[in-house]
Amino acid sequence: MTRLGWIVSASLVALAWLSAALAYPQLPEQIPTHWNIHGEIDGYGAKWWALFLTPGIMLGAFLMFLALPWLSPRQFAVETFRPTYQFIVVAVLLLIAYIHGLLLWAAWSGPVDISRALMAGICLALAVIGNVLGKVRRNFFVGIRTPWTLASERVWIDTHRLAAWLFVLAGMAGAVAAVVLSQVLSFAVPFALIIAAALASVVYSLVHYKRLERQGQIN
């Protein structure tokens, strides 16, 4: 990652830990940690671990993202799409930070339904990441990694161009559905749209590879 990407990512992680530490003395010993499909709280946790769970996940993700360029094989290096990789790293950390903010709000405000806001945020994050999927180059860690995309540069590029459109559309439609539909559907419809976009991308990679193979265009 570039210095700016490192600074932005590290700052997000630090802010998550700082916000948890500042909120800790003001919160009850038990805080909400889980909501069911109806938006009702069905799980609580001791604040000494529940409050720092998402900052811990952010730190772990940040360290993993730092390690992936070093772990990548030479011909599948993350370095070949460094700016896009950096963008995805920041987008993922922003999503986890957003979830952390929702959990803090629920802990501070008491019984509040955050399921709609959570699903809408996840869908918007997927739409943002989908917007740059077409710029991701072959690697083992980011993108639509199927046997057929990894075996062919052309299949990888074509699949990710399609996936970019699918995830942007699914993410935007899912975010709207999360806000306007009934409680149960606000979870089920966005989830179904995301799964459909992922499955369509995988199936396309197989079909496209086999078509190019029949035409003798696969080495």
Side-chain angles (χ1 to χ4, degrees):
M1 295 175 65
T2 64
R3 177 175 295 183
L4 177 60
W6 186 89
I7 291 173
V8 172
S9 300
S11 297
L12 288 171
V13 175
L15 285 173
W17 281 93
L18 179 61
S19 63
L22 292 175
Y24 187 88
Q26 315 299 325
L27 297 178
E29 292 302 318
Q30 297 287 317
I31 61 175
T33 57
H34 193 269
W35 286 256
N36 61 27
I37 196 172
H38 301 289
E40 302 164 340
I41 299 173
D42 62 358
Y44 288 84
K47 69 174 180 179
W48 66 265
W49 67 264
L51 197 57
F52 296 98
L53 179 61
T54 41
I57 293 173
M58 286 184 70
L59 178 59
F62 175 61
L63 295 176
M64 178 192 69
F65 283 130
L66 283 178
L68 290 186
W70 179 81
L71 293 171
S72 298
R74 180 175 299 176
Q75 294 182 346
F76 296 87
V78 170
E79 297 295 332
T80 58
F81 58 100
R82 178 188 289 266
T84 303
Y85 178 72
Q86 179 178 303
F87 180 88
I88 292 173
V89 170
V90 173
V92 170
L93 292 177
L94 275 172
L95 173 60
I96 304 174
Y98 171 73
I99 295 171
H100 176 62
L102 290 177
L103 294 174
L104 278 179
W105 175 255
W108 188 277
S109 304
V112 57
D113 174 19
I114 66 169
S115 56
R116 288 180 184 273
L118 177 61
M119 184 55 72
I122 292 173
C123 288
L124 288 176
L126 287 176
V128 169
I129 293 173
N131 191 54
V132 299
L133 270 183
K135 300 177 182 179
V136 174
R137 294 298 172 253
R138 274 197 301 174
N139 71 97
F140 286 109
F141 304 113
V142 181
I144 312 300
R145 303 174 310 282
T146 70
W148 312 287
T149 56
L150 292 172
S152 167
E153 180 74 16
R154 180 174 172 183
V155 174
W156 176 282
I157 292 173
D158 292 345
T159 297
H160 281 75
R161 286 175 177 170
L162 173 66
W165 283 100
L166 292 177
F167 276 96
V168 168
L169 292 174
M172 296 300 293
V176 173
V179 174
V180 303
L181 296 182
S182 65
Q183 187 66 55
V184 174
L185 290 179
S186 68
F187 174 84
V189 171
F191 184 76
L193 289 172
I194 294 168
I195 294 299
L199 287 177
S201 301
V202 171
V203 171
Y204 174 81
S205 72
L206 168 61
V207 173
H208 190 36
Y209 180 91
K210 290 301 182 181
R211 181 176 65 83
L212 293 176
E213 190 178 49
R214 288 194 303 271
Q215 295 173 354
Q217 299 184 44
I218 298 293
N219 295 326

